Amino acid sequence: MLRFTIRQAAGLALLASLVLASTPPAVAQQRQGQTAVQDGYGFGCKSGTSWTMDNGVVRCKLPIAPTVPEAPCAAVSNFAPLGACRFDLPAVGSGVTATAPNKTTGYIGSTTLTCTNGSWGAASTTCIPIPKLTVTPGASSILLGDSTTFSWSASDATSVSYSCSGANPSSGSLPVSGSRTLSGNFVGSTSCTATASGPGGTSPTASWSFYTSAPAGCSATTFTSGSCTYSIPAMSSGGSATGSNTTSGFSGSVQASCFNGSVNVSSPTCTANPAPPPPPPPPPPPPPSPPPAPPATVCSMSNYSPAWGAGCGTTINDVLADGATGTYNNTNVGYAGALSYTCTAGSLSVASQSCSASAAPPPAPPAPPANCAIAGFPASWGGGCGTTINTVLTHGQAGGFNSTTAGFVGMKGYTCNNGSLVPSGSEVCAATPPPAPPCPSTQTTSGSCVFNITTMTDGQSSVFSAVSGGIGSIMATCSAGAWLFTNRSCESNQRPPTPACPSGASFNGSVCVAPWAYLVLNGSSMGLIDSRALPAVSMLPPDLEALISGTTLSAINSTVSVSTFSCTAEVNRMMAAGELSPQTSGGVSGSTAGLSWSCSIGMDSATMMPSWHVLISP
């Protein structure tokens, strides 16, 4: 900065006498502490600027350019910067950052953009598919000790987990595809679920179940082979027994076993008994009958084996007195009952009997439901959708089938129920929407740049370069027949006319550059920089005030040494002639970056209106 320093009294008196002698009385005086604003070149300021003086210090002022508000960004629907995701962007002001969630079914994600003067900036986007899982259950009904196997396949997933609860619980982690066997170790129903996990979260849960039943036993039965008929007793599942022949005149046996209500036989034997011997000769006539014996008074039973009812029997060794009654319990396995005999004059008669099965055999399990093997099944729904179904499903398994009718899109669900397809779940049917229209070729501008945009299809994006008006680029995106422009840039190639530079200087695009900055010859062998020379003033950056303030002379482009330096004050040439002698001198250093300078001038600014110029001699 220029500094006004109070000099010694002798110096100030000399200065005052010189100034007062050359200033007419009619001139208005600028007093210390006051401020004046004028336009023009009166104190070395450029034309079009103004200057102020405060306490004798002159400062040049450039006009302030008006502030232009930045434009907001309009809302954008179905923005698709990445993959299958779609986003709706709200309308925001310039400088605002907006984040929008994905709205495409089956995906998760978000996009973040910043509005800059009417243009959306580059998007930071995530778009991740949600995992999908398909499970094929195994047999829905098995016997105790058997197993069932299910298979699965997952997409957009890194792992699968399953869990079964009920009669046969189990759980675990699985790869993204494969099969697993589940054992039926306990009787009852078992329910299972499975889910797939991945970067996009968790898939919908797949569910299935199976029932484990105990094997049924076998009731007593008969078996015929050849001439023999064998009596096979009741057996539990997994048991075995030997059946004996009951046909007169033959001997034999068969081996029998039971599995889940079915009797299996093996190794039957059947042999005819040898012919009976000839009858003996008739006995001699009996002697005369003795007188009749008195009536028997007792009934004697020895290894007597009566049978009664559906399967009761026992062996009796007993003696009943005449008129007595005896009761004998059943001893055959699987039955309960009793038989009573009464002895009358040596003869037995049945007094009462009872017989019932002690434990009824378990009922046979119901037949498992039938699976579905469908070929050529016609399906129609929704007033226009339809297809022909060819599929294989297990009982209870559901499937979704897409419409194949031209002009319509949709899906219908069916479930296999004991060999037949029945509708299940929701159905969708809609006329095929027309394709989104393309965007026609057009021309648009950004700043001074002009861009020719070619025809593109819906969803297509491309970057175009300016064809005139400047250097720049713009990204164009076609969305449902409308253009969306982003990522604009434009650098104008319009330049102001090159100014005329002094002899020996050249224009570098902003200022004139001389071999040594702004050198003006002053009629002698010594070069001078003189702020009063109009060509020099027009080349001193940024204006005269910068030089007076002592900032760096940045245009100097070589290493120099300065022999003399002076700051000179002169009276306004309109009011007086001649120049004042230099009042003081300052120091200057030379470098490749430029020259820095400062100076102090002592004078009484209250009595004169000085202007300044600077002399630098290399």
Side-chain angles (χ1 to χ4, degrees), residues 255-301:
Q255 300 301 313
S257 61
C258 175
F259 178 75
N260 194 27
S262 298
V263 176
N264 299 314
V265 295
S266 64
S267 306
T269 62
C270 184
T271 305
N273 293 332
S289 298
T297 57
V298 297
C299 296
S300 178
M301 293 173 284

mmCIF file of all heavy atoms in Angstrom, residues 255-301:
data_model
loop_
_atom_site.group_PDB
_atom_site.id
_atom_site.type_symbol
_atom_site.label_atom_id
_atom_site.label_comp_id
_atom_site.label_asym_id
_atom_site.label_seq_id
_atom_site.Cartn_x
_atom_site.Cartn_y
_atom_site.Cartn_z
ATOM 1 N N GLN A 255 -43.852 -121.105 5.085
ATOM 2 C CA GLN A 255 -43.245 -120.016 5.850
ATOM 3 C C GLN A 255 -43.898 -118.689 5.426
ATOM 4 O O GLN A 255 -44.034 -118.412 4.229
ATOM 5 C CB GLN A 255 -41.737 -119.957 5.609
ATOM 6 C CG GLN A 255 -40.997 -121.228 6.009
ATOM 7 C CD GLN A 255 -41.190 -121.556 7.482
ATOM 8 O OE1 GLN A 255 -41.062 -120.691 8.345
ATOM 9 N NE2 GLN A 255 -41.518 -122.820 7.759
ATOM 10 N N ALA A 256 -44.339 -117.921 6.420
ATOM 11 C CA ALA A 256 -45.041 -116.660 6.125
ATOM 12 C C ALA A 256 -44.365 -115.507 6.871
ATOM 13 O O ALA A 256 -43.842 -115.690 7.977
ATOM 14 C CB ALA A 256 -46.510 -116.759 6.506
ATOM 15 N N SER A 257 -44.361 -114.288 6.243
ATOM 16 C CA SER A 257 -43.850 -113.075 6.881
ATOM 17 C C SER A 257 -44.806 -111.922 6.559
ATOM 18 O O SER A 257 -45.568 -111.980 5.589
ATOM 19 C CB SER A 257 -42.439 -112.727 6.387
ATOM 20 O OG SER A 257 -42.425 -112.488 4.986
ATOM 21 N N CYS A 258 -44.768 -110.843 7.406
ATOM 22 C CA CYS A 258 -45.677 -109.703 7.267
ATOM 23 C C CYS A 258 -44.875 -108.426 7.085
ATOM 24 O O CYS A 258 -43.909 -108.161 7.813
ATOM 25 C CB CYS A 258 -46.573 -109.599 8.508
ATOM 26 S SG CYS A 258 -47.651 -108.137 8.515
ATOM 27 N N PHE A 259 -45.305 -107.565 6.079
ATOM 28 C CA PHE A 259 -44.734 -106.224 5.922
ATOM 29 C C PHE A 259 -45.851 -105.267 5.539
ATOM 30 O O PHE A 259 -46.449 -105.394 4.471
ATOM 31 C CB PHE A 259 -43.636 -106.195 4.853
ATOM 32 C CG PHE A 259 -43.060 -104.817 4.633
ATOM 33 C CD1 PHE A 259 -42.185 -104.264 5.558
ATOM 34 C CD2 PHE A 259 -43.432 -104.065 3.525
ATOM 35 C CE1 PHE A 259 -41.676 -103.006 5.365
ATOM 36 C CE2 PHE A 259 -42.919 -102.794 3.339
ATOM 37 C CZ PHE A 259 -42.037 -102.267 4.267
ATOM 38 N N ASN A 260 -46.126 -104.305 6.452
ATOM 39 C CA ASN A 260 -47.083 -103.231 6.210
ATOM 40 C C ASN A 260 -48.412 -103.775 5.678
ATOM 41 O O ASN A 260 -48.945 -103.297 4.688
ATOM 42 C CB ASN A 260 -46.510 -102.205 5.231
ATOM 43 C CG ASN A 260 -47.314 -100.902 5.220
ATOM 44 O OD1 ASN A 260 -47.943 -100.547 6.206
ATOM 45 N ND2 ASN A 260 -47.297 -100.207 4.089
ATOM 46 N N GLY A 261 -48.978 -104.808 6.382
ATOM 47 C CA GLY A 261 -50.299 -105.332 6.045
ATOM 48 C C GLY A 261 -50.303 -106.375 4.957
ATOM 49 O O GLY A 261 -51.369 -106.910 4.642
ATOM 50 N N SER A 262 -49.152 -106.689 4.337
ATOM 51 C CA SER A 262 -49.087 -107.678 3.259
ATOM 52 C C SER A 262 -48.363 -108.927 3.748
ATOM 53 O O SER A 262 -47.310 -108.836 4.397
ATOM 54 C CB SER A 262 -48.367 -107.111 2.036
ATOM 55 O OG SER A 262 -49.068 -105.999 1.522
ATOM 56 N N VAL A 263 -48.981 -110.148 3.450
ATOM 57 C CA VAL A 263 -48.401 -111.435 3.842
ATOM 58 C C VAL A 263 -47.623 -111.999 2.675
ATOM 59 O O VAL A 263 -48.136 -112.076 1.548
ATOM 60 C CB VAL A 263 -49.506 -112.426 4.278
ATOM 61 C CG1 VAL A 263 -48.904 -113.790 4.596
ATOM 62 C CG2 VAL A 263 -50.258 -111.886 5.486
ATOM 63 N N ASN A 264 -46.380 -112.341 2.910
ATOM 64 C CA ASN A 264 -45.524 -112.989 1.924
ATOM 65 C C ASN A 264 -45.287 -114.431 2.365
ATOM 66 O O ASN A 264 -44.981 -114.688 3.539
ATOM 67 C CB ASN A 264 -44.197 -112.257 1.791
ATOM 68 C CG ASN A 264 -44.393 -110.821 1.317
ATOM 69 O OD1 ASN A 264 -45.139 -110.584 0.384
ATOM 70 N ND2 ASN A 264 -43.742 -109.880 1.989
ATOM 71 N N VAL A 265 -45.417 -115.393 1.428
ATOM 72 C CA VAL A 265 -45.237 -116.825 1.757
ATOM 73 C C VAL A 265 -44.085 -117.379 0.937
ATOM 74 O O VAL A 265 -43.770 -116.876 -0.150
ATOM 75 C CB VAL A 265 -46.529 -117.619 1.480
ATOM 76 C CG1 VAL A 265 -47.661 -117.171 2.385
ATOM 77 C CG2 VAL A 265 -46.940 -117.525 0.015
ATOM 78 N N SER A 266 -43.452 -118.455 1.489
ATOM 79 C CA SER A 266 -42.346 -119.119 0.801
ATOM 80 C C SER A 266 -42.211 -120.545 1.322
ATOM 81 O O SER A 266 -42.695 -120.877 2.406
ATOM 82 C CB SER A 266 -41.039 -118.344 1.006
ATOM 83 O OG SER A 266 -40.702 -118.345 2.386
ATOM 84 N N SER A 267 -41.573 -121.368 0.522
ATOM 85 C CA SER A 267 -41.233 -122.757 0.889
ATOM 86 C C SER A 267 -42.445 -123.586 1.316
ATOM 87 O O SER A 267 -42.466 -124.218 2.385
ATOM 88 C CB SER A 267 -40.184 -122.762 2.014
ATOM 89 O OG SER A 267 -39.068 -122.011 1.668
ATOM 90 N N PRO A 268 -43.534 -123.588 0.507
ATOM 91 C CA PRO A 268 -44.655 -124.472 0.907
ATOM 92 C C PRO A 268 -44.312 -125.949 0.656
ATOM 93 O O PRO A 268 -43.633 -126.286 -0.309
ATOM 94 C CB PRO A 268 -45.786 -123.985 0.003
ATOM 95 C CG PRO A 268 -45.112 -123.441 -1.211
ATOM 96 C CD PRO A 268 -43.813 -122.856 -0.744
ATOM 97 N N THR A 269 -44.760 -126.826 1.528
ATOM 98 C CA THR A 269 -44.630 -128.297 1.356
ATOM 99 C C THR A 269 -46.015 -128.919 1.512
ATOM 100 O O THR A 269 -46.826 -128.470 2.334
ATOM 101 C CB THR A 269 -43.665 -128.898 2.385
ATOM 102 O OG1 THR A 269 -44.186 -128.670 3.708
ATOM 103 C CG2 THR A 269 -42.272 -128.261 2.281
ATOM 104 N N CYS A 270 -46.293 -129.922 0.696
ATOM 105 C CA CYS A 270 -47.607 -130.592 0.742
ATOM 106 C C CYS A 270 -47.407 -132.057 0.314
ATOM 107 O O CYS A 270 -47.045 -132.319 -0.847
ATOM 108 C CB CYS A 270 -48.604 -129.884 -0.167
ATOM 109 S SG CYS A 270 -50.279 -130.558 -0.086
ATOM 110 N N THR A 271 -47.580 -133.006 1.240
ATOM 111 C CA THR A 271 -47.347 -134.444 0.980
ATOM 112 C C THR A 271 -48.602 -135.228 1.361
ATOM 113 O O THR A 271 -49.166 -135.021 2.448
ATOM 114 C CB THR A 271 -46.152 -134.955 1.779
ATOM 115 O OG1 THR A 271 -45.017 -134.160 1.481
ATOM 116 C CG2 THR A 271 -45.858 -136.422 1.459
ATOM 117 N N ALA A 272 -49.037 -136.144 0.444
ATOM 118 C CA ALA A 272 -50.208 -136.998 0.750
ATOM 119 C C ALA A 272 -49.843 -137.983 1.857
ATOM 120 O O ALA A 272 -48.757 -138.568 1.871
ATOM 121 C CB ALA A 272 -50.664 -137.735 -0.496
ATOM 122 N N ASN A 273 -50.769 -138.209 2.759
ATOM 123 C CA ASN A 273 -50.550 -139.176 3.842
ATOM 124 C C ASN A 273 -50.596 -140.597 3.266
ATOM 125 O O ASN A 273 -51.288 -140.865 2.268
ATOM 126 C CB ASN A 273 -51.622 -139.017 4.918
ATOM 127 C CG ASN A 273 -51.492 -137.671 5.630
ATOM 128 O OD1 ASN A 273 -50.391 -137.108 5.726
ATOM 129 N ND2 ASN A 273 -52.607 -137.163 6.133
ATOM 130 N N PRO A 274 -49.852 -141.585 3.860
ATOM 131 C CA PRO A 274 -49.911 -142.979 3.368
ATOM 132 C C PRO A 274 -51.327 -143.562 3.505
ATOM 133 O O PRO A 274 -52.098 -143.142 4.371
ATOM 134 C CB PRO A 274 -48.897 -143.717 4.254
ATOM 135 C CG PRO A 274 -48.715 -142.825 5.442
ATOM 136 C CD PRO A 274 -48.955 -141.417 4.978
ATOM 137 N N ALA A 275 -51.670 -144.540 2.623
ATOM 138 C CA ALA A 275 -53.011 -145.169 2.668
ATOM 139 C C ALA A 275 -53.231 -145.863 4.006
ATOM 140 O O ALA A 275 -52.319 -146.512 4.545
ATOM 141 C CB ALA A 275 -53.155 -146.173 1.535
ATOM 142 N N PRO A 276 -54.440 -145.766 4.521
ATOM 143 C CA PRO A 276 -54.690 -146.435 5.821
ATOM 144 C C PRO A 276 -54.636 -147.970 5.659
ATOM 145 O O PRO A 276 -54.872 -148.503 4.584
ATOM 146 C CB PRO A 276 -56.083 -145.942 6.191
ATOM 147 C CG PRO A 276 -56.729 -145.620 4.897
ATOM 148 C CD PRO A 276 -55.640 -145.147 3.998
ATOM 149 N N PRO A 277 -54.271 -148.731 6.715
ATOM 150 C CA PRO A 277 -54.227 -150.221 6.643
ATOM 151 C C PRO A 277 -55.643 -150.769 6.425
ATOM 152 O O PRO A 277 -56.626 -150.107 6.722
ATOM 153 C CB PRO A 277 -53.652 -150.600 8.000
ATOM 154 C CG PRO A 277 -53.983 -149.464 8.894
ATOM 155 C CD PRO A 277 -53.962 -148.254 8.044
ATOM 156 N N PRO A 278 -55.740 -152.040 5.886
ATOM 157 C CA PRO A 278 -57.073 -152.637 5.683
ATOM 158 C C PRO A 278 -57.784 -152.779 7.019
ATOM 159 O O PRO A 278 -57.156 -152.937 8.059
ATOM 160 C CB PRO A 278 -56.777 -153.982 5.048
ATOM 161 C CG PRO A 278 -55.373 -154.287 5.420
ATOM 162 C CD PRO A 278 -54.668 -152.978 5.516
ATOM 163 N N PRO A 279 -59.063 -152.722 6.952
ATOM 164 C CA PRO A 279 -59.800 -152.838 8.220
ATOM 165 C C PRO A 279 -59.600 -154.229 8.835
ATOM 166 O O PRO A 279 -59.454 -155.225 8.130
ATOM 167 C CB PRO A 279 -61.246 -152.580 7.810
ATOM 168 C CG PRO A 279 -61.295 -152.926 6.361
ATOM 169 C CD PRO A 279 -59.949 -152.614 5.799
ATOM 170 N N PRO A 280 -59.575 -154.329 10.101
ATOM 171 C CA PRO A 280 -59.399 -155.635 10.768
ATOM 172 C C PRO A 280 -60.644 -156.499 10.556
ATOM 173 O O PRO A 280 -61.712 -155.987 10.238
ATOM 174 C CB PRO A 280 -59.210 -155.245 12.224
ATOM 175 C CG PRO A 280 -59.885 -153.923 12.358
ATOM 176 C CD PRO A 280 -59.746 -153.255 11.040
ATOM 177 N N PRO A 281 -60.492 -157.804 10.730
ATOM 178 C CA PRO A 281 -61.667 -158.682 10.590
ATOM 179 C C PRO A 281 -62.722 -158.335 11.650
ATOM 180 O O PRO A 281 -62.375 -157.810 12.708
ATOM 181 C CB PRO A 281 -61.104 -160.108 10.815
ATOM 182 C CG PRO A 281 -59.841 -159.897 11.569
ATOM 183 C CD PRO A 281 -59.304 -158.580 11.121
ATOM 184 N N PRO A 282 -63.896 -158.572 11.312
ATOM 185 C CA PRO A 282 -64.927 -158.217 12.289
ATOM 186 C C PRO A 282 -64.714 -158.995 13.594
ATOM 187 O O PRO A 282 -64.252 -160.133 13.596
ATOM 188 C CB PRO A 282 -66.235 -158.643 11.598
ATOM 189 C CG PRO A 282 -65.836 -159.627 10.569
ATOM 190 C CD PRO A 282 -64.457 -159.268 10.131
ATOM 191 N N PRO A 283 -65.015 -158.387 14.635
ATOM 192 C CA PRO A 283 -64.812 -159.066 15.937
ATOM 193 C C PRO A 283 -65.873 -160.176 16.122
ATOM 194 O O PRO A 283 -66.904 -160.149 15.490
ATOM 195 C CB PRO A 283 -65.004 -157.920 16.935
ATOM 196 C CG PRO A 283 -65.890 -156.958 16.236
ATOM 197 C CD PRO A 283 -65.564 -157.076 14.795
ATOM 198 N N PRO A 284 -65.520 -161.107 16.964
ATOM 199 C CA PRO A 284 -66.511 -162.148 17.254
ATOM 200 C C PRO A 284 -67.748 -161.510 17.885
ATOM 201 O O PRO A 284 -67.676 -160.422 18.430
ATOM 202 C CB PRO A 284 -65.772 -163.060 18.224
ATOM 203 C CG PRO A 284 -64.701 -162.200 18.825
ATOM 204 C CD PRO A 284 -64.332 -161.256 17.776
ATOM 205 N N PRO A 285 -68.826 -162.178 17.776
ATOM 206 C CA PRO A 285 -70.017 -161.620 18.380
ATOM 207 C C PRO A 285 -69.810 -161.392 19.857
ATOM 208 O O PRO A 285 -69.146 -162.180 20.526
ATOM 209 C CB PRO A 285 -71.095 -162.665 18.106
ATOM 210 C CG PRO A 285 -70.376 -163.906 17.714
ATOM 211 C CD PRO A 285 -69.049 -163.517 17.188
ATOM 212 N N PRO A 286 -70.309 -160.334 20.308
ATOM 213 C CA PRO A 286 -70.095 -160.034 21.727
ATOM 214 C C PRO A 286 -70.861 -161.015 22.606
ATOM 215 O O PRO A 286 -71.854 -161.596 22.191
ATOM 216 C CB PRO A 286 -70.654 -158.608 21.859
ATOM 217 C CG PRO A 286 -71.667 -158.511 20.787
ATOM 218 C CD PRO A 286 -71.177 -159.389 19.659
ATOM 219 N N PRO A 287 -70.355 -161.186 23.734
ATOM 220 C CA PRO A 287 -71.073 -162.031 24.683
ATOM 221 C C PRO A 287 -72.393 -161.356 25.049
ATOM 222 O O PRO A 287 -72.594 -160.196 24.759
ATOM 223 C CB PRO A 287 -70.111 -162.104 25.873
ATOM 224 C CG PRO A 287 -69.283 -160.903 25.767
ATOM 225 C CD PRO A 287 -69.158 -160.634 24.297
ATOM 226 N N PRO A 288 -73.192 -162.057 25.624
ATOM 227 C CA PRO A 288 -74.454 -161.430 26.011
ATOM 228 C C PRO A 288 -74.192 -160.190 26.867
ATOM 229 O O PRO A 288 -73.259 -160.148 27.659
ATOM 230 C CB PRO A 288 -75.173 -162.509 26.806
ATOM 231 C CG PRO A 288 -74.504 -163.797 26.398
ATOM 232 C CD PRO A 288 -73.128 -163.474 25.993
ATOM 233 N N SER A 289 -74.983 -159.190 26.580
ATOM 234 C CA SER A 289 -74.799 -157.939 27.291
ATOM 235 C C SER A 289 -75.117 -158.108 28.753
ATOM 236 O O SER A 289 -76.115 -158.755 29.108
ATOM 237 C CB SER A 289 -75.722 -156.847 26.714
ATOM 238 O OG SER A 289 -75.401 -156.608 25.388
ATOM 239 N N PRO A 290 -74.252 -157.562 29.509
ATOM 240 C CA PRO A 290 -74.541 -157.576 30.942
ATOM 241 C C PRO A 290 -75.729 -156.649 31.215
ATOM 242 O O PRO A 290 -76.090 -155.834 30.381
ATOM 243 C CB PRO A 290 -73.252 -157.046 31.569
ATOM 244 C CG PRO A 290 -72.641 -156.223 30.517
ATOM 245 C CD PRO A 290 -73.032 -156.879 29.216
ATOM 246 N N PRO A 291 -76.243 -156.766 32.321
ATOM 247 C CA PRO A 291 -77.316 -155.856 32.651
ATOM 248 C C PRO A 291 -76.814 -154.404 32.559
ATOM 249 O O PRO A 291 -75.640 -154.127 32.766
ATOM 250 C CB PRO A 291 -77.711 -156.241 34.064
ATOM 251 C CG PRO A 291 -76.544 -156.995 34.586
ATOM 252 C CD PRO A 291 -75.894 -157.657 33.421
ATOM 253 N N PRO A 292 -77.665 -153.463 32.165
ATOM 254 C CA PRO A 292 -77.196 -152.079 32.015
ATOM 255 C C PRO A 292 -76.629 -151.506 33.298
ATOM 256 O O PRO A 292 -77.145 -151.810 34.379
ATOM 257 C CB PRO A 292 -78.463 -151.326 31.601
ATOM 258 C CG PRO A 292 -79.593 -152.194 32.066
ATOM 259 C CD PRO A 292 -79.127 -153.632 31.986
ATOM 260 N N ALA A 293 -75.562 -150.804 33.072
ATOM 261 C CA ALA A 293 -74.921 -150.163 34.237
ATOM 262 C C ALA A 293 -75.784 -149.014 34.711
ATOM 263 O O ALA A 293 -76.557 -148.436 33.953
ATOM 264 C CB ALA A 293 -73.542 -149.641 33.839
ATOM 265 N N PRO A 294 -75.685 -148.763 35.913
ATOM 266 C CA PRO A 294 -76.427 -147.614 36.415
ATOM 267 C C PRO A 294 -75.974 -146.332 35.684
ATOM 268 O O PRO A 294 -74.865 -146.251 35.158
ATOM 269 C CB PRO A 294 -76.063 -147.590 37.895
ATOM 270 C CG PRO A 294 -74.778 -148.321 37.990
ATOM 271 C CD PRO A 294 -74.807 -149.368 36.909
ATOM 272 N N PRO A 295 -76.794 -145.308 35.561
ATOM 273 C CA PRO A 295 -76.424 -144.073 34.848
ATOM 274 C C PRO A 295 -75.153 -143.457 35.446
ATOM 275 O O PRO A 295 -74.935 -143.487 36.653
ATOM 276 C CB PRO A 295 -77.620 -143.142 35.064
ATOM 277 C CG PRO A 295 -78.741 -144.040 35.490
ATOM 278 C CD PRO A 295 -78.138 -145.257 36.137
ATOM 279 N N ALA A 296 -74.315 -142.941 34.514
ATOM 280 C CA ALA A 296 -73.075 -142.307 34.982
ATOM 281 C C ALA A 296 -73.415 -141.090 35.825
ATOM 282 O O ALA A 296 -74.353 -140.356 35.551
ATOM 283 C CB ALA A 296 -72.213 -141.892 33.795
ATOM 284 N N THR A 297 -72.621 -140.892 36.787
ATOM 285 C CA THR A 297 -72.859 -139.761 37.681
ATOM 286 C C THR A 297 -71.805 -138.661 37.524
ATOM 287 O O THR A 297 -71.929 -137.599 38.145
ATOM 288 C CB THR A 297 -72.889 -140.246 39.130
ATOM 289 O OG1 THR A 297 -71.653 -140.908 39.401
ATOM 290 C CG2 THR A 297 -74.045 -141.215 39.359
ATOM 291 N N VAL A 298 -70.713 -138.828 36.687
ATOM 292 C CA VAL A 298 -69.654 -137.839 36.502
ATOM 293 C C VAL A 298 -69.360 -137.697 35.012
ATOM 294 O O VAL A 298 -69.681 -138.596 34.224
ATOM 295 C CB VAL A 298 -68.373 -138.213 37.259
ATOM 296 C CG1 VAL A 298 -68.625 -138.240 38.767
ATOM 297 C CG2 VAL A 298 -67.827 -139.567 36.774
ATOM 298 N N CYS A 299 -68.777 -136.557 34.645
ATOM 299 C CA CYS A 299 -68.307 -136.313 33.263
ATOM 300 C C CYS A 299 -66.802 -136.089 33.330
ATOM 301 O O CYS A 299 -66.324 -135.153 34.001
ATOM 302 C CB CYS A 299 -68.985 -135.099 32.648
ATOM 303 S SG CYS A 299 -70.760 -135.274 32.433
ATOM 304 N N SER A 300 -66.033 -136.912 32.661
ATOM 305 C CA SER A 300 -64.579 -136.822 32.706
ATOM 306 C C SER A 300 -64.061 -136.252 31.376
ATOM 307 O O SER A 300 -64.443 -136.715 30.302
ATOM 308 C CB SER A 300 -63.967 -138.197 32.969
ATOM 309 O OG SER A 300 -62.567 -138.118 32.967
ATOM 310 N N MET A 301 -63.174 -135.193 31.450
ATOM 311 C CA MET A 301 -62.571 -134.567 30.266
ATOM 312 C C MET A 301 -61.054 -134.621 30.410
ATOM 313 O O MET A 301 -60.484 -134.121 31.383
ATOM 314 C CB MET A 301 -63.024 -133.111 30.125
ATOM 315 C CG MET A 301 -64.521 -132.969 29.817
ATOM 316 S SD MET A 301 -65.045 -131.223 29.851
ATOM 317 C CE MET A 301 -65.096 -130.920 31.600
#
